[in-house]
Amino acid sequence: MLVFTTRVWLTFLADAAYRAGLNPLSKRRLHRLVFLSNCLAPLFQATPNTAQIVKYKHGPFYPLIQWELDRLATMGVLAISNIEYTHDELGWWVSADYGVGRTMEPVLSHCRRTAYGQRLGEYLTEVVAGFASLRGAALDEVALRDENYDRSGTSDDSFIDFSNQEDNFSLKTALTFRTVLPAQLVPTRKEELFLYMRFLEAVVAKKAV
Amino acid sequence: MADTTIRFPVLKRLNVSGYQLFPGTDGTGIDHAFERGVTVVVGINGLGKTTLLNIILRSLLGFYTPSKFDPYDPVSGSHKMVEKETDYFTSRTTNLAKDARVDAEFAFGSDRLKIMRRLDTLDIQGLFLNGEPIEGEQHELQHEIVKASGLATLYDFFYVVRSFTFFLEDKVSLIWNPSGQFEIFRILFFDPTKAKEFAELADAIKRKDSKYRNLRVYYNKAMEELNKTEARTGNTSTAAEELRLKRVDVNTLEESDSAIRRRLEKALLHRTSLLEQIQKMRLELEEDRRQQEGLLDSFFSRAFPDLPDVVANILNHLDGDHGCLVCGTPNPKRRLKFRELANQGVCPFCETKNVRTEKVGALSARADEEIKQLDARIEEKRKNLSILEDGLKKAHEQVDAFHAERAANSSKLLAAQGEAERLEATLPPSQEELDKKRKQLDNEGREMKHLRLEIAKETKRYSTLLAEGRKSIEKMAAKLTKRFEYYAGEFLAEKCKLAYREEKRRLGEEGELLNYPNFHVSMTSAVSPRMGTPRTEDTQVSESQKEFVDLAFRMALFDAVRQAEDGVMLVIETPEASLDSIFVRKAGDLLRKFAEDGAGEPNVIIASCNLNGTGIVRSLLGVGSLNKRAVREDVPKKIINLLELAAPNAAVRQDRKTYQAELEAALKK
């Protein structure tokens, strides 16, 4: 069941990226988007695809997700291109781009007929819209500055578990904006998501100085 | 009669400035000197007649009002006065009555009191007694106004002004309202100190009566429960034992819950640890596979560069030991076969040999060796991962089982706790608790008794004061009834008299039944032309009679109380409202007669009237009986013409000439 949920998640994400003008998505960016969407899922009462990750030298990366991405590409739901094997001081890395495949539309139509698919589609569209609104230079950096990923005391290989909402620092930060806004301004969850993305963008900019 | 002389306020001059509603003819507002007799405030609906009368009223009372007041039954309220903010004057403007003020000069007997207030807050800005300024805080200045009247309290001053001197739109009667009638008798005829004590006693008795009744409801209920509980104390050993056993159950279940929780926490930690190991293992495996693919030099991609990316990806995954992307098998059987085909340069689809090109060479021996080592490592990790994944599956099952066990235990615990509570409720309290409750009720019983005694003592004092007051009222009854007959005779064709009697009323809900002095009207009629019949309620007379019988009563009361040399004032809102045309002339005659009476300080009657063709303006001013010179020179001094002085509303803007013509016709000799 989890496999199918993951595939639906990835398909909606790739579709949203296509609609937001981010097509195709590099493998690196796709994994980072998956991570951000997992962190902020409770904001929209969605269950994260997975709420655990190992802090990795290449940034957020999920081996199981990678397998499912390649499976979806084989099925034609996603389109894979620009596969390239590279080797550097961090070891071997395979880069590839993922876009909209020929069978994506019927799959999405099917998914949207379910309440879960509809809700998930709406949420992932908002996440990608927020992500796509950031400056181009910040796009691949924001996940690295995320409050869960960059939490104090962690380093490469640290295991990050945000399955309890109390430990989900990204969510807690996103929910903090309402406390600093004027009393008459109560942000919607979409605004909270956008504010959090802007916040990460600002952190990236500050680190770059 | 009161020992201290009561002086009623009589308006001598009124100046309203800076108020948008009354800009006046030249923007300076309203400035009017009141002369002996009737002054008419003329206007039409919406021009501010009521507002102007309220300005006069509030110039005397400021922002003070009783904390609880029912004009129709003042005895049921409280005599405590409170400051109450009001937007009455500000809400009628667009500038919140900024800079609006009223300067009003009143005669209290021979004294002159000038009161200057802001209209927005009603704060006193200046107070002058006979031209001398008086300084002080707002409440002190207000007290000075009360002092000028000779009345004992601010409440009494309020009541005299609001319900006796002013006869406003609500037309709250005194003669048809026994409670209001007695309240004015208390204020006017009791000794001022005793009037104050009498009012305070009434408030205190009512308060205690209410407290006593509330306490009694609680006491009786609590006593009944206590008696029932004590009656049950005989046979409790079985229930007590049952409760003891149930508490043991609760303790056992609480311990179980604690143990399960500890096991659950441990299982969760174990599961998280496994998750961490698995995730790290997967990453390592991923890295090894990538390295392997790199070392294999992605044979198929290079050998068949024109293959679509998706096909190359499938082949590379097979070649690199990643699994079959087509069917999803993680460890396909033919992967070694594919590796071999790749090494030999054979097409994996049709098995054609020697497809090697210059781009694809055989693997170096070193690379081959590394690949073999990687193969072994990957295989080892794959096995370990499989073990860890099995462990995780069990850990998930264990966590689920502990959750289920805890839920079942919690449900039993809740049931046991509920049962223990139920048993506890059936058991009577301990003797110690019963004694405590009994003691508490005894104290409350004593408090009730004490309250009854206090009420009785205060009621006795109240009755004494009432008896004294009754004597004062009886003393002036002859004068009152005589003056009433005089005024009523001016207005009514029927013979109308005042009759004294006592009215029985309780003080509070359950207080003693006491006799209060009261006057009612006795009047002849078509069916009883000689002997008057009592008219105790206002429904027993016509609308016209009702209002003017009350006015006659007020006038008589003024005459009974005032000093011969003092003037009095009556403020009446739209007296024509309930009159038919025949009575309009009589009403005018009666009011003028009263206003022009007396040789001392002049009486003043202020009446607001609508220009509605009833002839009331003409009647009140007595135009019919004046000569031309008097009409030309004196009458205008007795008119406050809001058609000219008030900000014109739509009706005035549209029909000013018509209204003005009507006023001129009313004043035409």
Side-chain angles (χ1 to χ4, degrees):
Chain A
M1 186 60 196
L2 185 63
V3 169
F4 292 113
T5 313
T6 304
R7 285 180 190 170
V8 172
W9 195 288
L10 293 172
T11 310
F12 272 123
L13 212 52
D15 174 62
Y18 170 71
R19 288 166 196 277
L22 294 177
N23 191 56
L25 280 170
S26 71
K27 179 169 139 183
R28 183 194 305 267
R29 188 172 286 181
L30 220 166
H31 279 267
R32 292 177 185 194
L33 255 177
V34 171
F35 171 71
L36 286 171
S37 64
N38 278 332
C39 291
L40 297 170
L43 203 58
F44 280 62
Q45 281 80 47
T47 309
N49 183 263
T50 170
Q52 288 95 12
I53 193 163
V54 173
K55 202 163 175 177
Y56 189 48
K57 56 194 174 190
H58 288 285
F61 180 78
Y62 303 89
L64 283 183
I65 295 273
Q66 185 53 48
W67 169 253
E68 294 304 335
L69 279 173
D70 289 324
R71 289 275 285 142
L72 286 169
T74 306
M75 293 170 196
V77 178
L78 301 180
I80 187 168
S81 57
N82 301 326
I83 302 170
E84 199 176 335
Y85 289 81
T86 54
H87 183 261
D88 58 16
E89 69 278 10
L90 297 177
W92 285 93
W93 177 254
V94 186
S95 58
D97 293 333
Y98 294 88
V100 174
R102 62 193 155 75
T103 60
M104 179 185 273
E105 196 44 50
V107 169
L108 285 178
S109 300
H110 182 76
C111 292
R112 284 194 190 105
R113 273 186 231 126
T114 66
Y116 170 78
Q118 234 168 32
R119 280 204 316 274
L120 186 63
E122 279 166 22
Y123 166 57
L124 292 173
T125 302
E126 296 301 349
V127 173
V128 176
F131 182 79
S133 71
L134 305 180
R135 283 180 297 104
L139 285 178
D140 284 330
E141 293 295 311
V142 287
L144 303 180
R145 300 297 166 208
D146 172 79
E147 291 285 287
N148 278 333
Y149 200 77
D150 201 23
R151 59 176 69 176
S152 62
T154 59
S155 57
D156 278 355
D157 297 343
S158 289
F159 181 67
I160 296 165
D161 182 357
F162 51 91
S163 52
N164 287 323
Q165 289 205 2
E166 269 306 293
D167 301 323
N168 189 340
F169 299 156
S170 316
L171 175 72
K172 282 163 92 171
T173 305
L175 292 173
T176 305
F177 295 115
R178 66 180 62 186
T179 64
V180 294
L181 287 171
Q184 66 274 25
L185 281 181
V186 180
T188 61
R189 55 191 188 173
K190 177 181 170 179
E191 285 163 344
E192 283 172 328
L193 191 149
F194 270 64
L195 283 168
Y196 182 68
M197 290 288 186
R198 293 281 177 213
F199 164 74
L200 292 184
E201 184 183 47
V203 175
V204 170
K206 201 174 165 190
K207 292 269 180 184
V209 175
Chain B
M1 180 72 71
D3 290 344
T4 309
T5 306
I6 293 169
R7 311 277 188 191
F8 296 101
V10 181
L11 188 59
K12 307 299 286 182
R13 189 173 197 98
L14 178 74
N15 185 293
V16 181
S17 62
Y19 192 45
Q20 283 180 331
L21 225 59
F22 303 126
T25 48
D26 55 0
T28 56
I30 294 175
D31 188 33
H32 189 89
F34 291 81
E35 299 192 344
R36 179 188 298 273
V38 179
T39 297
V40 183
V41 179
V42 182
I44 59 165
N45 282 339
L47 270 193
K49 296 186 301 296
T50 306
T51 307
L52 188 63
L53 298 189
N54 270 300
I55 287 177
I56 301 169
L57 177 73
R58 284 294 152 190
S59 69
L60 285 165
L61 299 174
F63 39 67
Y64 291 97
T65 197
S67 62
K68 189 183 166 198
F69 182 68
D70 175 2
Y72 297 94
D73 185 13
V75 170
S76 70
S78 159
H79 295 89
K80 189 183 167 196
M81 295 294 281
V82 292
E83 293 171 17
K84 192 176 174 189
E85 273 186 33
T86 172
D87 63 352
Y88 183 86
F89 298 113
T90 55
S91 65
R92 284 159 166 72
T93 65
T94 55
N95 65 353
L96 298 176
K98 187 177 175 289
D99 303 328
R101 53 185 287 163
V102 53
D103 296 352
E105 194 181 330
F106 290 93
F108 284 85
S110 57
D111 285 334
R112 292 287 182 278
L113 196 68
K114 186 176 181 185
I115 306 164
M116 300 156 83
R117 287 188 194 268
R118 291 165 61 121
L119 271 184
D120 54 353
T121 61
L122 293 173
D123 277 343
I124 297 174
Q125 302 263 280
L127 188 66
F128 297 86
L129 180 63
N130 299 323
E132 292 296 318
I134 304 173
E135 302 292 333
E137 299 290 326
Q138 288 296 315
H139 69 277
E140 291 167 337
L141 295 175
Q142 186 63 47
H143 176 69
E144 288 298 325
I145 300 173
V146 176
K147 207 167 117 186
S149 72
L151 291 162
T153 65
L154 178 55
Y155 173 88
D156 289 354
F157 182 67
F158 165 84
Y159 193 78
V160 164
V161 172
R162 168 69 179 80
S163 295
F164 183 35
T165 302
F166 279 71
F167 195 44
L168 295 177
E169 204 169 23
D170 52 11
K171 301 277 159 63
V172 182
S173 144
L174 283 179
I175 188 71
W176 313 108
N177 174 5
S179 166
Q181 193 186 118
F182 179 71
E183 191 73 336
I184 199 72
F185 287 162
R186 175 188 68 76
I187 295 167
L188 299 181
F189 299 117
F190 280 38
D191 172 87
T193 324
K194 288 178 178 169
K196 187 181 173 203
E197 186 190 353
F198 190 77
E200 285 168 355
L201 274 173
D203 287 350
I205 293 168
K206 278 185 282 178
R207 204 170 47 244
K208 283 172 186 168
D209 177 69
S210 168
K211 188 179 174 187
Y212 173 79
R213 282 181 290 111
N214 289 336
L215 203 57
R216 188 180 56 194
V217 170
Y218 165 77
Y219 177 86
N220 288 344
K221 200 175 165 196
M223 185 56 90
E224 192 184 335
E225 275 174 17
L226 182 62
N227 288 339
K228 276 185 190 166
T229 308
E230 282 180 337
R232 281 204 321 263
T233 50
N235 185 19
T236 59
S237 57
T238 317
E241 179 59 13
E242 216 178 319
L243 177 62
R244 192 188 65 75
L245 290 172
K246 195 47 77 182
R247 280 181 179 152
V248 171
D249 285 352
V250 169
N251 285 342
T252 311
L253 287 163
E254 277 172 349
E255 280 170 21
S256 303
D257 182 66
S258 180
I260 300 166
R261 185 174 47 80
R262 282 195 299 273
R263 290 205 298 276
L264 177 62
E265 282 166 1
K266 205 173 158 190
L268 283 167
L269 276 176
H270 175 61
R271 189 178 69 173
T272 307
S273 162
L274 282 172
L275 271 168
E276 181 176 351
Q277 287 180 59
I278 288 170
Q279 292 226 6
K280 286 183 174 171
M281 185 68 77
R282 281 184 187 141
L283 276 173
E284 282 180 19
L285 201 53
E286 179 77 17
E287 284 193 342
D288 285 348
R289 283 167 174 162
R290 279 201 299 264
Q291 188 182 355
Q292 193 184 42
E293 281 173 22
L295 288 169
L296 283 167
D297 222 5
S298 319
F299 166 77
F300 291 113
S301 298
R302 285 178 294 111
F304 310 108
D306 296 330
L307 277 178
D309 279 330
V310 67
V311 179
N313 201 32
I314 293 168
L315 291 172
N316 286 339
H317 269 72
L318 287 168
D319 186 20
D321 203 13
H322 250 89
C324 177
L325 282 177
V326 177
C327 69
T329 307
N331 190 13
K333 284 179 185 167
R334 291 190 65 194
R335 72 183 175 83
L336 289 174
K337 172 79 176 166
F338 269 84
R339 173 83 54 79
E340 198 185 321
L341 291 171
N343 282 341
Q344 292 167 2
V346 173
C347 172
F349 298 105
C350 66
E351 298 200 2
T352 302
K353 291 180 182 170
N354 298 321
V355 291
R356 283 179 195 278
T357 66
E358 62 281 2
K359 290 181 186 170
V360 186
L363 287 170
S364 68
R366 191 167 146 266
D368 198 42
E369 185 53 34
E370 270 187 58
I371 286 167
K372 279 178 187 160
Q373 285 174 8
L374 266 174
D375 271 344
R377 263 184 17 220
I378 287 171
E379 192 52 38
E380 179 69 18
K381 280 178 182 155
R382 207 200 297 271
K383 277 182 193 164
N384 289 342
L385 185 60
S386 175
I387 292 165
L388 286 172
E389 281 172 341
D390 282 347
L392 181 65
K393 198 178 161 195
K394 281 180 192 152
H396 277 309
E397 286 168 1
Q398 203 175 27
V399 166
D400 290 346
F402 285 143
H403 274 306
E405 192 182 349
R406 194 168 182 214
N409 192 72
S410 294
S411 154
K412 281 184 199 165
L413 177 60
L414 277 174
Q417 282 169 335
E419 182 62 10
E421 273 172 29
R422 190 190 64 74
L423 286 168
E424 215 168 274
T426 61
L427 279 179
S430 66
Q431 194 54 48
E432 194 185 340
E433 283 171 309
L434 285 174
D435 289 346
K436 197 175 158 192
K437 186 75 187 168
R438 172 72 65 186
K439 199 173 166 189
Q440 187 192 336
L441 280 175
D442 286 347
N443 284 339
E444 275 154 10
R446 270 194 292 279
E447 191 185 343
M448 281 165 61
K449 202 172 165 186
H450 179 65
L451 274 174
R452 288 303 311 162
L453 283 172
E454 274 191 5
I455 290 170
K457 194 174 143 195
E458 284 169 355
T459 304
K460 196 175 170 191
R461 172 70 184 150
Y462 183 86
S463 299
T464 308
L465 293 174
L466 182 59
E468 283 176 24
R470 190 183 293 115
K471 275 183 195 163
S472 302
I473 293 164
E474 282 166 1
K475 235 187 262 179
M476 67 83 212
K479 192 175 181 184
L480 180 68
T481 49
K482 194 176 164 195
R483 294 305 293 168
F484 177 80
E485 244 177 279
Y486 167 70
Y487 289 122
E490 291 294 317
F491 186 71
L492 300 167
E494 299 289 351
K495 278 185 185 167
C496 186
K497 290 182 176 182
L498 272 188
Y500 178 79
R501 70 166 188 185
E502 304 219 313
E503 204 214 24
K504 287 189 185 301
R505 251 195 342 261
R506 282 186 198 283
L507 191 60
E509 294 271 320
E510 293 182 358
E512 211 173 297
L513 206 56
L514 298 167
N515 288 330
Y516 291 86
N518 177 254
F519 289 90
H520 70 264
V521 174
S522 172
M523 203 161 85
T524 58
S525 66
V527 292
S528 178
R530 289 188 184 165
M531 292 290 287
T533 51
R535 313 292 174 94
T536 51
E537 288 176 19
D538 60 3
T539 51
Q540 294 166 334
V541 292
S542 73
E543 277 297 305
S544 304
Q545 288 170 340
K546 182 174 80 178
E547 201 171 308
F548 276 84
V549 164
D550 196 75
L551 272 174
F553 181 67
R554 283 167 200 253
M555 291 171 187
L557 211 46
F558 270 127
D559 288 348
V561 179
R562 68 162 154 183
Q563 305 300 305
E565 68 278 15
D566 286 356
V568 293
M569 173 175 74
L570 254 177
V571 180
I572 310 164
E573 186 164 11
T574 54
E576 76 279 14
S578 59
L579 294 180
D580 54 42
S581 58
I582 300 294
F583 280 103
V584 162
R585 186 184 55 77
K586 286 189 172 190
D589 289 346
L590 171 67
L591 291 170
R592 262 186 299 109
K593 197 175 190 70
F594 175 74
E596 286 162 8
D597 252 8
E601 285 287 332
N603 293 339
V604 168
I605 286 184
I606 303 169
S608 68
C609 295
N610 272 317
L611 278 169
N612 57 4
T614 58
I616 188 73
V617 175
R618 184 179 179 84
S619 169
L620 284 169
L621 294 169
V623 174
S625 59
L626 295 173
N627 59 37
K628 280 187 178 176
R629 188 199 57 78
V631 171
R632 196 177 56 245
E633 292 176 9
D634 299 338
V635 167
K637 293 178 193 167
K638 296 193 169 185
I639 295 175
I640 298 177
N641 183 3
L642 295 185
L643 291 172
E644 290 172 353
L645 299 169
N649 60 12
V652 171
R653 287 198 299 273
Q654 203 175 310
D655 298 310
R656 182 189 289 277
K657 282 183 182 168
T658 312
Y659 290 126
Q660 202 63 46
E662 189 173 331
L663 179 60
E664 280 163 18
L667 303 178
K668 197 172 179 184
K669 184 62 197 165

